[in-house]
Amino acid sequence: MYFKPTIISVAEATHYLVGGTDVDDNFTALPVLGDVVICNSLSSAKQLLRDNDMLEAQLTLQTPYDEMCGLPTSKVTHETVSL
């Protein structure tokens, strides 16, 4: 199964989740990492993936604010970043 290396950032959070996204857009652990990893900075998340021979990752930015205000969920923003 193919997993796209993915870093998830949630607005106002002090950490980044590192894992993979499958073809159905489900976020899960990358097989090489064995589990979803929590990193304290974007640079350490990127370094973790570089250390595991990955050249790029999908950076996913999420915000819970629309839902908290009773508005429809806003679209998730995705950006491909070079490592």
Side-chain angles (χ1 to χ4, degrees):
M1 179 173 267
Y2 172 77
F3 293 97
K4 183 186 311 178
T6 303
I7 302 169
I8 294 181
S9 172
V10 179
E12 304 290 327
T14 59
H15 61 273
Y16 295 81
L17 300 177
V18 180
T21 305
D22 66 16
V23 294
D24 294 322
D25 212 26
N26 297 309
F27 183 72
T28 189
L30 284 170
V32 69
L33 300 178
D35 205 354
V36 171
V37 178
I38 299 171
C39 293
N40 293 324
S41 69
L42 180 57
S43 61
S44 65
K46 290 167 69 174
Q47 186 62 50
L48 174 66
L49 294 173
R50 274 193 297 270
D51 290 346
N52 285 282
D53 300 321
M54 293 173 210
L55 302 175
E56 66 180 23
Q58 174 177 273
L59 177 60
T60 301
L61 306 172
Q62 299 179 341
T63 177
Y65 297 121
D66 290 338
E67 292 175 28
M68 291 169 56
C69 296
L71 299 172
T73 303
S74 58
K75 286 191 169 188
V76 175
T77 302
H78 299 287
E79 177 83 23
T80 300
V81 294
S82 296
L83 304 173

